[in-house]
Amino acid sequence: MVDSISESGIITPIIVRPKVSVGYEVISGHRRWEACKELGIESIPARVEYIDDDEATILMVNSNIQREHVLPSEKAFAYKMRMEALKHQGRTTLAQVGPKFSSEKIAAETGDSRNQVKRYIRLTYLIPSILQMVDDGRIAFNPAVEISYMTGEHQTWLKEEMDMCDATPSLVQSRTLKDMSRNGTLTENYLHTLLTEEKPNQRQKFFLNQSDVQ
């Protein structure tokens, strides 16, 4: 981004709002603003919006989600912030009530299903080190959602075992871990056993032609 701005400048204005005291607060375009500061650029195009905290949150979330490349963690926290802002608006404005402040409204605006929105929000319950694995593509989305239901302590155990065994749980295994964590029956020894067992998709397969078999 720094190279792009250095070559072409700011193509799309950032969005700001006036601060209570003096100056402006950046609502959308933080990365562009930081890149300009790194380049020593002191003046950039900006659009000023006169909006409250909830409206600012919604605008920021929408801007982030519309980026071409959005990490799972970014989308997860964006959906969570949007949900909280919409719920807050619903509490403060009596005329605005109903399902539009639920995941259904976010789903209608983003293209993700209602259940998928909820599943993304579940990622915000992962400990940071496991969430980073999701962003890096080292653990699949669906198992990560199941792992998010584990306690923080059990997630820490799991992360240590994943690093030690250089393995991640499958979807079925993740569901088992979620249930055991909820029931209080999960142990570190079981985690090690589970992560070191051979998964069906890891077994080497051999294929022979029917004629060769005959």
Side-chain angles (χ1 to χ4, degrees):
M1 178 171 289
V2 172
D3 293 338
S4 174
I5 291 176
S6 176
E7 180 179 345
S8 306
I10 296 292
I11 298 173
T12 304
I14 67 172
I15 302 175
V16 301
R17 68 170 178 169
K19 287 184 178 179
V20 176
S21 53
V22 64
Y24 295 89
E25 176 187 9
V26 178
I27 303 301
S28 174
H30 295 84
R31 294 169 69 241
R32 281 170 284 162
W33 173 233
E34 291 298 328
C36 287
K37 287 196 289 186
E38 185 174 333
L39 291 168
I41 300 175
E42 297 181 353
S43 178
I44 63 175
R47 190 176 89 225
V48 181
E49 295 283 352
Y50 296 87
I51 52 182
D52 61 24
D53 290 345
D54 291 328
E55 292 171 328
T57 298
I58 292 172
L59 180 58
M60 179 186 66
V61 169
N62 286 343
S63 299
N64 288 337
I65 292 175
Q66 289 174 13
R67 293 204 331 258
E68 184 177 356
H69 301 291
V70 183
L71 294 173
S73 64
E74 293 176 323
K75 184 179 283 192
F77 282 103
Y79 283 172
K80 186 175 183 179
M81 291 174 65
R82 181 69 186 279
M83 180 84 75
E84 291 173 349
L86 290 172
K87 286 180 178 179
H88 185 259
Q89 284 186 330
R91 288 196 301 269
T92 57
T93 306
L94 294 179
Q96 296 176 327
V97 294
K100 67 179 181 178
F101 294 113
S102 69
S103 55
E104 295 176 2
K105 179 175 176 62
I106 300 176
E109 295 174 350
T110 61
D112 280 325
S113 69
R114 178 172 174 268
N115 287 337
Q116 190 72 346
V117 168
K118 291 183 176 181
R119 290 165 69 78
Y120 267 109
I121 292 176
R122 279 303 317 175
L123 295 183
T124 64
Y125 294 90
L126 290 170
I127 61 174
S129 55
I130 294 183
L131 184 57
Q132 185 62 51
M133 292 179 68
V134 181
D135 283 345
D136 294 340
R138 295 167 56 200
I139 186 168
F141 178 82
N142 288 333
V145 171
E146 301 298 324
I147 291 170
S148 72
Y149 290 93
M150 298 171 63
T151 66
E153 181 183 15
H154 291 166
Q155 288 187 43
T156 300
W157 291 358
L158 175 61
K159 180 60 171 64
E160 292 173 353
E161 288 295 336
M162 287 193 293
D163 291 342
M164 185 183 305
C165 302
D166 191 23
T168 59
S170 66
L171 179 57
V172 173
Q173 290 174 329
S174 298
R175 287 171 177 163
T176 299
L177 293 178
K178 175 183 71 174
D179 293 338
M180 294 183 71
S181 180
R182 283 177 163 178
N183 297 333
T185 57
L186 186 63
T187 65
E188 292 182 81
N189 287 336
Y190 179 80
L191 272 173
H192 183 78
T193 301
L194 180 138
L195 288 176
T196 52
E197 72 179 19
E198 186 181 40
K199 301 182 181 68
N201 62 352
Q202 294 175 332
R203 296 172 188 154
Q204 191 171 10
K205 297 180 180 178
F206 298 91
F207 299 91
L208 295 173
N209 294 326
Q210 184 178 0
S211 59
D212 292 336
V213 175
Q214 292 173 340

